Amino acid sequence: MATHRGNVAYDFELFEKKPPKAQPSLNLIKNQKYKSRDRMAAFKAVSAIAVVVSVICMMLYGRAELTELTKQVGDYNDSYQELSSEYTRLSAELEGKVSLRNVEETAKNELGLSKVQSYQVEYVNVDEGDGFEGAGDVQEPTLGQKVSLYIQSFLEYIKIR
């Protein structure tokens, strides 16, 4: 459906190229207050990143140390098991060598010993009671001997001799 406009003329200015409008100039106002805030925010961000990185590094180092110590514990446990089995073997070997039966056989076969017979036993009667019999005339040590004994006992006390 066509509209009838009548006698209206077309406005061709709408299709002409117009020179661009002058854009208003923007002047940047620098405020020192905001500048210091920006610097502080940047400093805080860098500090936070540094803290996070250092914590991660410490965690990695701790894990590495833990791994090394765990390996050492495993090595020591293996060594302990070997030494324990060697101890058990040597104890069994010693038990076999020092058993009463082996000692009796060694005494009988190699040394020519025999068990004690009744004619070899001699009983001692001690009815006289306890007593002490001195060695006889004992001389008092001289001053030089006393000093020498004192020096020897002192050296034994401090464990030089």
Side-chain angles (χ1 to χ4, degrees):
M1 190 158 136
T3 50
H4 183 349
R5 293 184 129 203
N7 196 3
V8 180
Y10 287 109
D11 187 14
F12 288 113
E13 286 183 6
L14 293 174
F15 298 108
E16 290 179 3
K17 288 188 179 179
K18 292 181 182 178
K21 291 183 182 178
Q23 294 202 356
S25 64
L26 297 175
N27 293 333
L28 183 62
I29 299 174
K30 294 183 179 180
N31 191 347
Q32 292 297 330
K33 183 175 163 184
Y34 296 120
K35 195 178 211 182
S36 65
R37 281 187 191 170
D38 291 342
R39 285 184 184 166
M40 186 58 73
F43 177 72
K44 286 181 181 178
V46 168
S47 298
I49 290 171
V51 167
V52 168
V53 167
S54 63
V55 167
I56 290 172
C57 288
M58 286 189 294
M59 288 175 62
L60 290 175
Y61 177 74
R63 295 283 178 141
E65 284 293 318
L66 182 64
T67 302
E68 288 179 16
L69 291 175
T70 304
K71 184 182 178 307
Q72 279 183 345
V73 167
D75 292 344
Y76 287 140
N77 281 337
D78 293 343
S79 175
Y80 172 74
Q81 291 296 329
E82 289 176 16
L83 292 174
S84 177
S85 64
E86 180 71 13
Y87 173 76
T88 305
R89 184 189 66 80
L90 290 174
S91 294
E93 184 179 330
L94 179 66
E95 181 97 12
K97 286 184 179 181
V98 196
S99 70
L100 185 59
R101 185 175 50 91
N102 286 346
V103 170
E104 285 179 357
E105 285 180 14
T106 304
K108 195 180 286 183
N109 297 334
E110 293 178 16
L111 300 175
L113 301 176
S114 62
K115 288 191 174 188
V116 176
Q117 302 295 323
S118 62
Y119 69 89
Q120 294 173 324
V121 177
E122 182 177 325
Y123 295 100
V124 177
N125 190 4
V126 188
D127 286 335
E128 298 174 8
D130 293 337
F132 174 75
E133 189 173 312
D137 190 18
V138 178
Q139 293 181 353
E140 182 73 22
T142 63
L143 181 64
Q145 290 173 341
K146 286 182 183 180
V147 170
S148 174
L149 288 172
Y150 176 74
I151 291 172
Q152 286 177 354
S153 66
F154 178 73
L155 292 176
E156 288 176 4
Y157 176 73
I158 60 173
K159 299 181 181 174
I160 290 181
R161 281 187 154 182

